[in-house]
Amino acid sequence: QVQLVESGGGSVQAGGSLRLSCAASAYIYSSYCMGWFRQAPGKEREFVSSITTNGITNYADSVKGRFTISRDNAKHTVYLQMNSLKPEDTAMYYCAARFAFCPAVAGDFAYWGQGTQVTVSS
């Protein structure tokens, strides 16, 4: 019913940048909160950022000032611009969707992409 496909991950040096993309099903995109989460080995899935249907954003404290979430409704795509990357940003990054509301808890999101790996080396 809902399909999310992430792309844009890779390996970069500390201080570098990456831009993640999440293409969403066109028929549900405009009614859904979109979020980014990440999970490193041995750690719980962590909230990174979210954006509401009308463009209100939220960020984890650890990424404020470095990451920017945006959405292009015409393209049914959500982006995560990641600047000044640090080794601790290394994780599998997942795009997620939830109807209407926009929480910061992974368990509240019903739909998930397959993930894209981000690796930051020092």
Side-chain angles (χ1 to χ4, degrees), residues 8-32:
S11 182
V12 298
Q13 294 183 355
S17 298
L18 286 172
R19 190 190 194 194
L20 306 184
S21 298
C22 175
S25 302
Y27 58 92
I28 57 91
Y29 177 85
S30 62
S31 300
Y32 277 70

Side-chain angles (χ1 to χ4, degrees), residues 34-68:
M34 305 297 297
W36 288 97
F37 295 79
R38 66 188 183 187
Q39 187 167 22
K43 295 186 177 181
E44 296 182 352
R45 190 157 40 184
E46 175 187 26
F47 170 77
V48 176
S49 186
S50 65
I51 185 166
T52 69
T53 56
N54 62 347
I56 300 174
T57 60
N58 190 24
Y59 298 93
D61 289 340
S62 59
V63 305
K64 286 181 179 178
R66 299 189 298 119
F67 292 8
T68 302

Side-chain angles (χ1 to χ4, degrees), residues 86-114:
K86 305 175 180 179
E88 51 262 45
D89 295 319
T90 296
M92 184 72 73
Y93 283 70
Y94 297 92
C95 178
R98 187 191 192 280
F99 179 72
F101 299 111
C102 216
V105 179
D108 290 339
F109 283 76
Y111 304 103
W112 295 84
Q114 80 286 351

Side-chain angles (χ1 to χ4, degrees), residues 72-91:
D72 186 335
N73 292 340
K75 297 181 179 180
H76 313 127
T77 301
V78 178
Y79 305 96
L80 185 68
Q81 179 65 48
M82 309 164 67
N83 298 327
S84 301
L85 284 163
K86 305 175 180 179
E88 51 262 45
D89 295 319
T90 296

Side-chain angles (χ1 to χ4, degrees), residues 107-121:
D108 290 339
F109 283 76
Y111 304 103
W112 295 84
Q114 80 286 351
T116 185
Q117 179 68 40
V118 172
T119 302
V120 184
S121 60

